[in-house]
Amino acid sequence: SLAIGNYVEGSIRLNNSQSGLVLPVQAIQHDSAHQVYVWVVRQNRLHKVNVEVVMQDQASNSVLVKGIQPDDIVSLVKFSEQANGSPVKVS
C-alpha cells in the first residue's frame, strides 16, 4: 500500500503489437488527395507506393508503415508524378 506523498513511476505494456517497416518521417509524402505515399526503387525503377502509417514515434522521428516490401529502397527525395516508373541507377 502507498502512503500519502509516496508515488510510483512505471509503464503499462499492452499486448497489441504492430508490424510493418520503420522509416524516417521525411520519407512520407502526401498528394493532393491526402494519400500517404513513399518513393521506392524496385527492379531499377522508381515507383510511387501508397502506404498506411501505423504509428509515429516523435522521439525518434520515425514512422511504422505498411505497404512496402522489406527489400524496397526508400527515397527521401521528393519527385514529381512524371517520375513514376522512371529507370534509376542506385550507386
Side-chain angles (χ1 to χ4, degrees), residues 5-86:
N6 291 334
Y7 300 94
V8 175
E9 183 178 325
S11 62
I12 298 173
R13 294 187 180 236
L14 302 175
N15 253 355
N16 64 354
S17 63
Q18 300 286 340
S19 64
L21 295 173
V22 176
L23 299 176
V25 74
Q26 297 90 344
I28 302 298
Q29 300 182 40
H30 300 84
D31 62 16
S32 59
H34 302 291
Q35 291 279 19
V36 180
Y37 67 94
V38 295
W39 288 102
V40 300
V41 176
R42 289 182 182 161
Q43 299 174 344
N44 296 324
R45 293 209 172 265
L46 189 62
H47 297 280
K48 177 183 170 184
V49 178
N50 291 336
V51 293
E52 173 191 351
V53 176
V54 178
M55 186 182 310
Q56 182 170 355
D57 181 17
Q58 293 183 0
S60 66
N61 210 22
S62 60
V63 291
L64 181 69
V65 300
K66 289 184 180 181
I68 59 173
Q69 301 168 3
D71 58 342
D72 284 339
I73 299 171
V74 178
S75 174
L76 299 180
V77 178
K78 297 183 179 194
F79 295 97
S80 69
E81 290 287 330
Q82 292 79 16
N84 196 18
S86 297

